[in-house]
Amino acid sequence: MSAKAVGDQLIDELVGRAQWTGDEVYGQDPKLRSVLKARRIGYVLAVACTTKVRINENRTVVQADTLAASLPRDAWHRQSAGAGAKGPRYYDWAWVQTGADKNRCLLIRRNPVTDELAFYLCWSPGEVALSALVRVAGTRWCIEECFQADKSQVGLDHYQVRYWTSWHRHIILAMLALAFLAAVAVSAAPDRSTDPNRPVHSSDPIDLTIPEIRHLIGRLFRPSTTPPHRPLAWSIWRRLHQAQARRAHYRRRLTSHSDT
């Protein structure tokens, strides 16, 4: 078997039934969408509001934002794109079949407060529910949060290099440091209920976060006359107050959602 065939087989095994998502840089690339479809990999890719799509069984060409403005009120559904730091991320969602393929659609997200719109081109190898597309669209925040943590906690962007080798070494070390902090955070997290609204009822401190673990490790390497239990006590106090603030955010967001 050739190296290319082995590589293709490995990719197929890795992606399986995976759903891909990405921002407009990837969503605007028709070649990428074609490759994903050829491999029968579903995707939810962000696109610009000026993107043109075909509706009415491929008979009508319309711009994405124009299509969103023409949708009736009952076309929108309030759903959460996942839990955020301040509670479920509720948006209004609508989807419209595009082209002649039943499994191809334009997914539209509307902010219920600002009415800001976002658009996604979607395709799946089989029928999927709106909630599944919303869930995949919401996973993009995980990627963005990872890059933000890498920059703010381990200095991913703190380099002044001009050569590939030195840049490559810096990026690898930064990613290894973040992977270590993430592994410690996961291992330190207690077993809890999978209920997404658990923070509303829980009085426990929030789990150790990557910034908190980095702060505690930093204290270990700084000479100090403070007893070792003092930083841990402050950490628990901070996380208790953060949990209290999170409860308030969750309750307010859940209350506002129940009123709509």
Side-chain angles (χ1 to χ4, degrees):
M1 185 179 292
S2 67
K4 182 179 185 302
V6 172
D8 290 344
Q9 182 179 353
L10 179 60
I11 290 174
D12 290 337
E13 292 176 356
L14 288 174
V15 298
R17 295 179 177 269
Q19 295 278 341
W20 283 46
T21 186
D23 58 22
E24 292 182 19
V25 174
Y26 302 98
Q28 298 292 112
D29 186 350
K31 292 183 180 179
L32 174 62
R33 300 199 303 268
S34 297
V35 169
L36 292 175
K37 185 178 179 181
R39 293 185 178 276
R40 299 189 62 76
I41 302 170
Y43 58 77
V44 180
L45 298 172
V47 292
C49 63
T50 55
T51 300
K52 289 182 170 57
V53 295
R54 290 182 174 273
I55 59 174
N56 297 331
E57 297 184 354
N58 222 20
R59 293 191 297 266
T60 307
V61 179
V62 63
Q63 196 164 284
D65 53 359
T66 303
L67 177 59
S70 67
L71 293 176
R73 185 174 181 178
D74 59 2
W76 297 93
H77 306 275
R78 182 71 56 87
Q79 294 196 20
S80 170
K86 297 182 179 180
R89 299 191 299 262
Y90 284 110
Y91 293 94
D92 295 328
W93 301 84
W95 57 342
V96 181
Q97 179 185 336
T98 59
D101 187 344
K102 291 191 299 184
N103 298 331
R104 187 191 300 276
C105 71
L106 176 71
L107 178 67
I108 308 170
R109 187 193 74 199
R110 183 178 66 189
N111 188 308
V113 177
T114 64
D115 287 334
E116 180 183 5
L117 297 174
F119 303 89
Y120 304 84
L121 288 179
C122 309
W123 180 85
S124 59
E127 292 186 11
V128 295
L130 173 62
S131 58
L133 297 180
V134 169
R135 177 184 57 79
V136 175
T139 58
R140 247 191 65 204
W141 278 284
C142 300
I143 303 171
E144 294 172 359
E145 288 170 357
C146 180
F147 276 108
Q148 183 179 357
D150 222 332
K151 292 177 180 178
S152 61
Q153 300 303 320
V154 296
L156 179 71
D157 57 345
H158 295 178
Y159 59 83
Q160 293 181 353
V161 296
R162 299 181 181 179
Y163 299 100
W164 162 258
T165 301
S166 50
W167 177 87
H168 194 256
R169 289 171 179 170
H170 174 84
I171 296 301
I172 289 178
L173 288 174
M175 294 177 68
L176 284 174
L178 184 66
F180 168 76
L181 293 174
V184 173
V186 171
S187 63
D191 293 332
R192 300 188 188 276
S193 167
T194 57
D195 179 8
N197 297 328
R198 180 191 58 80
V200 177
H201 316 289
S202 175
S203 58
D204 297 328
I206 67 169
D207 296 341
L208 282 167
T209 61
I210 288 177
E212 188 69 18
I213 292 173
R214 175 180 173 272
H215 172 77
L216 291 173
I217 292 176
R219 290 296 299 265
L220 290 176
F221 291 96
R222 279 203 304 265
S224 173
T225 57
T226 305
H229 69 274
R230 210 63 163 302
L232 292 175
W234 273 107
S235 174
I236 295 173
W237 181 86
R238 279 194 301 271
R239 291 186 289 119
L240 280 170
H241 279 261
Q242 289 169 343
Q244 184 178 1
R246 185 178 63 177
R247 279 196 301 274
H249 287 302
Y250 264 68
R251 287 170 180 164
R252 183 170 63 250
R253 190 160 293 186
L254 291 173
T255 301
S256 62
H257 169 63
S258 62
D259 293 339
T260 57

